[in-house]
Amino acid sequence: EGTRMKQLNTLTALACGCLLSWRSVGQAQQAGVLTVEVFANSAMHLTPAQTSGLPFKMDLYRLDAMQNAEHQINQVLPKTEAEAMAWIKANEARLRKQLQPAVVNSANGITLAAHYRLQRLPAIVINRQIVVYGQTDVHRALELAQKNGGAKP
């Protein structure tokens, strides 16, 4: 009977350990969060900064990337039209490779923001159903959405 009680205690401890492990996986996973889309401009510091290693898919859209790319090019572009055309021709491949991912991401973000009818930045869209405005911390936005429900896009 003592051995049986020890086995039962061991099983109970294992079960509790499993429960604690499941709880630590994250509230986001438990709440059924599959996707998080963050809409911001480049001046906004976001947390987490990295999109990898999260228990959900997170996409970050910097909506001002096209303006930033234009500004970067204008800073180094020669003043005369002929020199500018020559510079662009000489640097086009490098510029395209360097700037295209951010510009495409920005264009996609602008299209999605219009689709969701977002009213201001920053905006965090959860599971394409709930919008949390004014937060730059994704985990805090998830907590607020879970507590208050957020707005509908």
Side-chain angles (χ1 to χ4, degrees):
E1 191 175 317
T3 305
R4 179 83 175 131
M5 190 60 137
K6 283 182 183 178
Q7 288 175 338
L8 191 57
N9 286 340
T10 302
L11 286 173
T12 303
L14 282 171
C16 287
C18 288
L19 280 174
L20 289 174
S21 294
W22 269 98
R23 294 183 110 194
S24 66
V25 166
Q27 291 178 342
Q29 212 169 21
Q30 291 176 359
V33 175
L34 301 174
T35 61
V36 173
E37 296 163 298
V38 181
F39 298 84
N41 64 38
S42 58
M44 296 173 179
H45 176 71
L46 301 171
T47 306
Q50 300 295 321
T51 59
S52 61
L54 297 171
F56 46 82
K57 181 181 183 287
M58 185 171 105
D59 292 318
L60 170 58
Y61 300 101
R62 298 281 186 180
L63 302 187
D64 60 347
M66 285 191 275
Q67 292 90 352
N68 291 341
E70 182 180 346
H71 179 72
Q72 284 178 318
I73 292 170
N74 286 336
Q75 293 293 344
V76 296
L77 201 61
K79 300 300 178 213
T80 69
E81 185 177 346
E83 289 174 332
M85 295 298 285
W87 185 88
I88 288 173
K89 187 175 182 181
N91 292 285
E92 183 178 5
R94 179 183 61 81
L95 289 170
R96 190 177 305 277
K97 184 178 180 181
Q98 180 183 349
L99 300 174
Q100 189 172 17
V103 169
V104 168
N105 175 277
S106 179
N108 289 339
I110 290 168
T111 301
L112 277 172
H115 172 76
Y116 291 137
R117 297 183 178 156
L118 299 180
Q119 299 169 1
R120 61 187 182 276
L121 297 178
I124 298 176
V125 179
I126 303 160
N127 289 341
R128 301 176 187 210
Q129 297 175 359
I130 298 170
V131 179
V132 177
Y133 289 106
Q135 283 295 317
T136 57
D137 184 323
V138 172
H139 296 295
R140 179 73 178 127
L142 291 170
E143 289 173 9
L144 290 171
Q146 190 173 24
K147 184 187 257 185
N148 303 329
K152 301 293 180 200

